[in-house]
Amino acid sequence: MTALSVSTSSAASLRADALVIGVAKGPKGIVLAPGAEAVSEAFEGKLAEVLTTLGATGAEGEAVKVPSPAGLKAALVLAVGLGDAADGGYEAEALRRAAGVAARTLAGSKKAALVLPAESADEVEAVALGGLLGSYAFGTYKGNGNGKEPVGELVLLATRKGSKEAKAAVERAVVVGEEMNRARDLVNTAPNDLNPKGFAAIAQAAGKEHGLKVEVLDEKALLKGGYGGLLGVGNGSVNPPRLVKVAYTHPKAKASLAFVGKGITYDSGGISLKPAGHNETMKCDMAGAAAVFAAVVAAKRLGLQVNVTAWLALAENMPSGSATRPGDVLKMYGGKTVEVLNTDAEGRLVLADAIVRAGEENPDVIVDVATLTGAMMLALGARTFGVMANNDELRETLHTVAGEAGEQSWPMPLPADLRKGMTESTIADLANMGDRMGGGLVAGLFLKEFVAEGIDWAHLDIAGPAFHEGAPYGYTPKGGTATAVRTLVRFAERTAAGDKA
């Protein structure tokens, strides 16, 4: 991973391959952002004019390179757009995205200095995290020389080096960035290299490294325990399912959280087979499990004063002679029966088992995370996840927390009238399908049926933003994005501080 350091050296004296400055859109042309003063002096006050001549506008996502003049020790100046000029300071997300653009643009460089606005601790963290996330590259399967290496080192120029706030901001950025990149790696790994057993082994290794308690239920333990959802989904694969518990406890914790993640390491749809064009990226169907796993590791590394447990519901959904058929009835963990009408609605089945199991430990809040429905993508697009809950205050809190963390979300309802379609099975307690219209909400209502009375629960449907198939933008790469990790970590932080509302 790209190294990160903080310096109070002047931009003019710092030796680097490039100096990164921010520019914004002003009413009369581009405006240099705070931090660029020394660089502008080296251009004899004409830097904005030079950048304008080269076509710079200050728009978000823009990157314009200029050879450095004699007064700078860095070879290159890179101007990245921050969007509209802001007199009161730039939003954290604008800084994160600008730093990410810079890191991506400078791939192949050994050292780059980020001379972006970084006066406050929040700005320091935003620039640091954006740079680390923008530097991400997944090269596991690429041969040597195939693609540029990530920038080797990022130096953040700040005025608060040595302050407790700035130091804590950088440390938090490193932890969150590393754990998000861990989740991205898991999502990007080819499904022939990441099956439920392999994912469980990765969790065990991380537990040993970071002092987390990890328990793994294999197929024998799942059968003995009556986990019909996990077994029903995994029956068609030669790679049997797993339920993995990753627990972090703090001796002074006054609250406990359970994060439940859908971990379908490959989703063919099962007997209800997905058509061509819809299964090529289905290695990403374990992004929810990757997110909750990374969030718990981050909570431990940050030393948050809250107990957090991740439940990874891992299975591979494949068609075979032993696969669950449409029309089969599964007895779920906890005793409810479910008629399977569509084997491609499998995520809710594995999550249901894990939610019931998580509820047995009486957490204050359960949050499940899943790439659950295409319907949510149709509703909210490819960059926004849906938030549902059995508690309106919790739903609004998670929506707010996501915004604080820099993630796009939208609160969604759980209309009681949509429950009817899945409770009309003539042979089981529930069906795993209901009304076609509002399918994302129906899936949420299904999961709600498995939440123990008295426990607050929320459901994050990350089907849209979990896997980015377009060109990279900001700090977001093509492929796995680690959606929801920041939201979960921020929620854990607020809970630790006694601020859940």
Side-chain angles (χ1 to χ4, degrees), residues 14-227:
L14 191 65
R15 296 186 182 277
D17 295 310
L19 293 175
V20 178
I21 63 167
V23 295
K25 297 167 65 176
K28 296 181 180 180
I30 67 169
V31 176
L32 301 181
E37 295 83 2
V39 180
S40 181
E41 288 179 13
F43 280 85
E44 299 180 350
K46 296 183 178 180
L47 177 56
E49 182 181 338
V50 171
L51 290 171
T52 300
T53 301
L54 293 174
T57 65
E60 182 180 306
E62 186 177 78
V64 177
K65 295 178 180 179
V66 185
S68 294
L72 301 178
K73 292 187 177 180
L76 182 74
V77 173
L78 175 67
V80 290
L82 291 167
D84 292 335
D87 293 333
Y90 293 90
E91 293 185 358
E93 182 64 3
L95 295 175
R96 274 191 291 266
R97 292 188 178 186
V101 169
R104 289 192 295 104
T105 302
L106 295 172
S109 302
K110 292 183 179 180
K111 183 178 180 180
L114 300 175
V115 197
L116 294 166
E119 178 66 28
S120 70
D122 286 345
E123 289 174 337
V124 169
E125 182 182 333
V127 173
L129 181 57
L132 290 174
L133 295 177
S135 300
Y136 174 80
F138 185 72
T140 299
Y141 303 109
K142 288 184 175 289
N144 293 333
N146 191 350
K148 294 181 179 179
E149 290 293 319
V151 59
E153 180 185 0
L154 292 174
V155 181
L156 194 159
L157 268 66
T159 60
R160 297 175 61 92
K161 184 183 179 184
S163 74
K164 291 182 179 180
E165 294 84 358
K167 182 179 179 182
V170 172
E171 290 175 350
R172 184 185 186 279
V174 170
V175 169
V176 174
E178 288 180 351
E179 293 310 319
M180 286 182 67
N181 287 339
R182 181 201 297 273
R184 289 170 167 183
D185 281 348
L186 286 166
V187 173
N188 289 329
T189 298
N192 57 315
D193 285 334
L194 186 72
N195 57 36
K197 182 179 179 180
F199 198 150
I202 290 171
Q204 288 174 314
K208 185 176 182 180
E209 179 183 357
H210 296 290
L212 298 162
K213 185 177 181 181
V214 180
E215 299 176 14
V216 178
L217 297 185
D218 63 13
E219 65 272 30
K220 293 180 181 179
L222 293 172
L223 181 61
K224 183 177 180 180
Y227 291 85

Side-chain angles (χ1 to χ4, degrees), residues 71-451:
L72 301 178
K73 292 187 177 180
L76 182 74
V77 173
L78 175 67
V80 290
L82 291 167
D84 292 335
D87 293 333
Y90 293 90
E91 293 185 358
E93 182 64 3
L95 295 175
R96 274 191 291 266
R97 292 188 178 186
V101 169
R104 289 192 295 104
T105 302
L106 295 172
S109 302
K110 292 183 179 180
K111 183 178 180 180
L114 300 175
V115 197
L116 294 166
E119 178 66 28
S120 70
D122 286 345
E123 289 174 337
V124 169
E125 182 182 333
V127 173
L129 181 57
L132 290 174
L133 295 177
S135 300
Y136 174 80
F138 185 72
T140 299
Y141 303 109
K142 288 184 175 289
N144 293 333
N146 191 350
K148 294 181 179 179
E149 290 293 319
V151 59
E153 180 185 0
L154 292 174
V155 181
L156 194 159
L157 268 66
T159 60
R160 297 175 61 92
K161 184 183 179 184
S163 74
K164 291 182 179 180
E165 294 84 358
K167 182 179 179 182
V170 172
E171 290 175 350
R172 184 185 186 279
V174 170
V175 169
V176 174
E178 288 180 351
E179 293 310 319
M180 286 182 67
N181 287 339
R182 181 201 297 273
R184 289 170 167 183
D185 281 348
L186 286 166
V187 173
N188 289 329
T189 298
N192 57 315
D193 285 334
L194 186 72
N195 57 36
K197 182 179 179 180
F199 198 150
I202 290 171
Q204 288 174 314
K208 185 176 182 180
E209 179 183 357
H210 296 290
L212 298 162
K213 185 177 181 181
V214 180
E215 299 176 14
V216 178
L217 297 185
D218 63 13
E219 65 272 30
K220 293 180 181 179
L222 293 172
L223 181 61
K224 183 177 180 180
Y227 291 85
L230 277 157
L231 290 168
V233 173
N235 272 346
S237 174
V238 296
N239 298 305
R242 296 287 188 271
L243 179 62
V244 182
K245 175 185 176 183
V246 184
Y248 160 61
T249 57
H250 192 285
K252 296 183 180 180
K254 295 181 180 180
S256 61
L257 304 174
F259 296 156
V260 178
K262 173 186 173 183
I264 304 299
T265 58
Y266 182 75
D267 182 19
S268 71
I271 297 296
S272 306
L273 193 66
K274 293 179 185 291
H278 293 266
N279 55 19
E280 291 82 358
T281 61
M282 282 298 102
K283 65 180 182 180
C284 78
D285 216 16
M286 38 58 67
V292 301
F293 171 45
V296 171
V297 178
K300 171 62 170 67
R301 294 178 63 185
L302 293 170
L304 302 185
Q305 196 169 308
V306 61
N307 295 334
V308 189
T309 302
W311 298 88
L312 318 183
L314 308 176
E316 190 174 66
N317 188 24
M318 298 290 286
S320 74
S322 60
T324 293
R325 298 158 289 250
D328 283 356
V329 174
L330 304 177
K331 186 175 183 180
M332 311 293 285
Y333 184 73
K336 282 190 172 70
T337 56
V338 175
E339 182 182 9
V340 179
L341 299 180
N342 187 328
T343 65
D344 196 22
E346 84 299 330
R348 64 199 71 182
L349 299 175
V350 301
L351 285 172
D353 276 357
I355 287 171
V356 175
R357 177 65 187 89
E360 290 180 339
E361 300 196 353
N362 297 310
D364 294 286
V365 179
I366 296 174
V367 181
D368 78 69
V369 185
T371 48
L372 204 60
T373 65
M376 196 58 61
M377 295 179 68
L378 290 174
L380 298 179
R383 296 190 183 184
T384 303
F385 63 81
V387 184
M388 288 155 266
N390 63 358
N391 177 303
D392 291 345
E393 186 177 10
L394 175 61
R395 183 185 63 226
E396 293 305 317
T397 294
L398 283 166
H399 173 50
T400 298
V401 164
E404 292 175 357
E407 298 198 277
Q408 296 175 213
S409 71
W410 196 252
M412 301 293 283
L414 290 173
D417 58 287
L418 289 179
R419 181 177 179 272
K420 183 179 179 181
M422 65 183 184
T423 59
E424 291 182 335
S425 171
T426 58
I427 60 173
D429 297 323
L430 296 166
N432 77 328
M433 296 292 289
D435 289 356
R436 182 166 175 259
M437 299 302 168
L441 311 183
V442 170
L445 286 163
F446 180 90
L447 296 177
K448 184 182 176 184
E449 295 288 324
F450 295 87
V451 180

